[in-house]
């Protein structure tokens, strides 16, 4: 299927913008900044809440939305994917894993684990430079 002229212009503009980026560190993935954003989002959403299965979906959505909004404010040339897992503490540990196939010089990942009295939360941010 043929691409429209407008779509092609957008693609060219994105490629030019990505190619014009300077390697001055302003567009690097800085995991410490991302970790701070994620921790603040988790604290804002969960605070000192007690686990409730009815609220898990709302909490996870709020954490993900807050993270994405704050990451966008950093105005860096990345596409972000944020995942959030919340599990009730019941004696068994919560583990997550990931495998990445990307450019380690430009892309990044950050995983934040927060344990509260009644639940664990693991939030992961994947960033791919555009």
């Amino acid at each position: 299927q043929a691409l429209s002229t407008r779509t092609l212009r957008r693609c060219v503009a994105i490629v030019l913008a990505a190619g014009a980026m300077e390697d001055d560190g302003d567009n690097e993935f800085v995991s410490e900044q991302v970790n701070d954003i994620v921790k603040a989002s988790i604290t804002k959403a969960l605070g000192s809440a007690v686990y409730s299965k009815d609220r898990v979906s709302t909490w996870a959505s709020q954490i993900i939305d807050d993270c994405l909004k704050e990451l966008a404010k950093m105005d860096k040339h990345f596409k972000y994917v944020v995942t959030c897992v919340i599990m009730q503490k019941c004696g068994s540990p919560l583990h997550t894993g990931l495998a990445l196939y990307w450019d380690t010089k430009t892309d990044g990942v950050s995983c934040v684990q927060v344990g509260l009295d009644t639940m664990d939360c693991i939030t992961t941010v994947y960033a791919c430079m555009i």
Side-chain angles (χ1 to χ4, degrees), residues 50-61 86 88 119:
V50 176
Y51 180 85
S52 168
K53 69 177 183 174
D54 298 327
R55 298 188 62 201
V56 168
S57 180
T58 303
W59 287 330
S61 294
I86 298 173
Q88 181 179 16
M119 63 185 131

Side-chain angles (χ1 to χ4, degrees), residues 59-75:
W59 287 330
S61 294
Q62 183 180 354
I63 291 167
I64 291 168
D65 290 344
D66 285 349
C67 286
L68 289 171
K69 286 176 187 173
E70 292 301 314
L71 290 166
K73 288 180 185 177
M74 291 185 0
D75 197 30

Side-chain angles (χ1 to χ4, degrees), residues 93-110:
L94 173 59
H95 297 282
T96 62
L98 54 97
L100 308 169
Y101 182 72
W102 60 21
D103 186 349
T104 57
K105 293 179 184 174
T106 58
D107 305 328
V109 65
S110 176

Side-chain angles (χ1 to χ4, degrees), residues 5-80:
T5 304
R6 184 176 181 179
T7 303
L8 286 174
R9 280 191 211 133
R10 264 194 221 137
C11 291
V12 170
I14 290 170
V15 170
L16 291 175
M21 291 187 311
E22 298 176 14
D23 193 20
D24 60 0
D26 287 340
N27 292 308
E28 289 181 358
F29 181 81
V30 182
S31 60
E32 291 81 13
Q33 287 177 328
V34 175
N35 287 348
D36 291 343
I37 288 171
V38 173
K39 287 176 188 174
S41 297
I42 293 171
T43 302
K44 179 180 172 186
L46 300 180
S48 59
V50 176
Y51 180 85
S52 168
K53 69 177 183 174
D54 298 327
R55 298 188 62 201
V56 168
S57 180
T58 303
W59 287 330
S61 294
Q62 183 180 354
I63 291 167
I64 291 168
D65 290 344
D66 285 349
C67 286
L68 289 171
K69 286 176 187 173
E70 292 301 314
L71 290 166
K73 288 180 185 177
M74 291 185 0
D75 197 30
K76 294 193 176 191
H77 297 281
F78 289 100
K79 283 191 177 183
Y80 297 102

